[in-house]
Amino acid sequence: MHTIRSTLVVMDPQQSEEQILSRARMIASATRSHLHLLVCDKRPDLSAHLEEVRGALEKEGFSVSAQRAWHHSPHQTVIAAQQAEGCGLVIKQHRPDNPLTKSILTPEDWKLLRYCPSPVLIVKTATPWASGTILAAVDLGNSDIEHRVLHAGIVSHGHDVARMSGGTLHMMSAHPYPMLSAPDPVFQRKESIEDFYREQCRTLQKEFGIDDERLHIEEGAADILIPQVARKLNAALTVIGNVARTGLAGAMIGNTAEMILDTLESDVLVLKPDDIITHLEELAAPAQGPQEQAALSSWPYNHHNHRL
């Protein structure tokens, strides 16, 4: 997280700004990154307030730019701005969806988690990160190189947040129930499965200084256990990976990050594997043509006062 140079802050006129701006201030202060404020809306009457927020943050010493834009849908607007501005992080406040609506339409927050190439921080609570618990949730059942890199990234981001907020880093993984029919004897007994998962954690524990008391290996489904462990620890932030699964498989199986978004009682930072990031950047590239760039730059207050 310390490598972030520009952060996209999605402002929602229908939600309080206090929580999201609090997170943006802390991250910008710790990383010395630029803040780009974005309102995904066509209405010009929102420009004056956005300029007020930009000006207030600038007076506090932050490097800030601001933009009102619309590009077909909220998540597409965010992704277009993220790509155009080169933002290494997107911050957005969570908007809970009606269960009936969610059963028919894919929530916009889910779409953002699926398609945004950069890490996405979903702000859900006012719980301060300072001196709080940061939970890094990894899926150790996938041990290919891409997932190992993702696991390291999840724990590394959690470690960075814990350091800059004076918090405590915990790590967890959910493991499957034992199956007597499993071809590998390790996965036939709960004790041997847990031992296997704990052994998988040793390298990450050593690299990021996580003792056994802050390691949580639990039996069951990740989408159920992650919110439970986060609630038990009173976590301020949960860091998780997302495979960005789409299509029929995504609809039937679901992505853990999406499934737990409403049930988690903490902020959630979502990362993706490198190969998926590359693919999503390729998908997003056509949206950066001249017409789209003009639409994204339609608002006159688009300042770039980068901090020296």
Side-chain angles (χ1 to χ4, degrees):
M1 182 168 280
H2 61 277
T3 61
I4 294 171
R5 293 294 171 263
S6 184
T7 298
L8 178 62
V9 184
V10 183
M11 309 286 290
D12 187 340
Q14 298 182 21
Q15 291 179 301
S16 170
E17 301 164 347
E18 183 178 349
Q19 293 180 20
I20 194 167
L21 290 180
S22 173
R23 300 295 188 252
R25 286 187 181 95
M26 190 189 73
I27 291 171
S29 296
T31 62
R32 297 186 65 82
S33 61
H34 176 78
L35 295 176
H36 184 69
L37 310 180
L38 173 69
V39 170
C40 303
D41 203 296
K42 300 177 182 179
R43 293 173 293 171
D45 58 321
L46 298 173
S47 300
H49 177 65
L50 186 57
E51 172 62 6
E52 288 179 8
V53 176
R54 186 204 64 78
L57 288 169
E58 198 170 66
K59 287 181 180 178
E60 294 176 27
F62 295 103
S63 170
V64 192
S65 55
Q67 176 184 28
R68 175 183 56 80
W70 183 253
H71 187 80
H72 305 306
S73 68
H75 79 278
Q76 288 178 298
T77 305
V78 172
I79 293 169
Q82 181 267 328
Q83 290 287 288
E85 299 294 327
C87 297
L89 175 68
V90 170
I91 306 178
K92 182 184 183 300
Q93 192 160 334
H94 180 50
R95 175 179 284 188
D97 290 276
N98 180 287
L100 179 59
T101 303
K102 189 161 59 175
S103 68
I104 302 172
L105 301 173
T106 303
E108 278 294 321
D109 283 0
W110 285 26
K111 293 178 183 177
L112 185 62
L113 295 185
R114 288 184 189 184
Y115 299 118
C116 185
S118 75
V120 177
L121 171 63
I122 300 293
V123 178
K124 294 196 64 179
T125 75
T127 304
W129 287 7
S131 303
T133 295
I134 310 301
L135 177 63
V138 293
D139 176 15
L140 297 175
N142 287 296
S143 57
D144 57 80
I145 184 63
E146 283 294 335
H147 278 88
R148 290 203 300 270
V149 172
L150 177 60
H151 298 158
I154 290 170
V155 182
S156 176
H157 275 72
H159 182 260
D160 287 348
V161 173
R163 287 188 62 183
M164 72 184 189
S165 65
T168 304
L169 177 63
H170 287 244
M171 181 169 66
M172 74 156 290
S173 183
H175 70 75
Y177 294 103
M179 293 182 61
L180 294 177
S181 60
D184 189 338
V186 168
F187 293 94
Q188 295 177 5
R189 297 173 57 251
K190 176 180 178 179
E191 293 76 14
S192 58
I193 296 175
E194 185 172 331
D195 289 343
F196 172 79
Y197 270 66
R198 288 189 178 278
E199 189 58 36
Q200 294 288 98
C201 291
R202 295 305 176 201
T203 300
L204 290 172
Q205 282 186 270
K206 184 176 180 180
E207 181 176 356
F208 296 102
I210 303 171
D211 58 38
D212 287 343
E213 291 184 355
R214 290 183 284 127
L215 175 64
H216 311 273
I217 304 297
E218 305 284 347
E219 180 185 62
D223 59 302
I224 295 175
L225 290 172
I226 293 173
Q228 287 182 353
V229 173
R231 188 180 304 113
K232 178 181 177 182
L233 298 173
N234 193 27
L237 172 70
T238 301
V239 188
I240 190 171
N242 188 29
V243 297
R245 186 184 298 112
T246 59
L248 181 60
M252 294 178 65
I253 302 172
N255 296 316
T256 300
E258 298 167 2
M259 295 169 69
I260 68 176
L261 194 55
D262 285 334
T263 54
L264 265 173
E265 296 176 4
S266 71
D267 292 350
V268 56
L269 175 62
V270 182
L271 313 178
K272 297 183 183 71
D274 289 341
D275 61 337
I276 291 179
I277 291 174
T278 300
H279 178 59
L280 292 175
E281 287 177 338
E282 292 171 352
L283 290 177
Q288 299 306 309
Q291 291 182 343
E292 287 77 8
Q293 286 284 4
L296 285 169
S297 304
S298 61
W299 188 49
Y301 299 109
N302 196 13
H303 306 277
H304 287 274
N305 304 312
H306 293 277
R307 185 188 290 121
L308 298 177

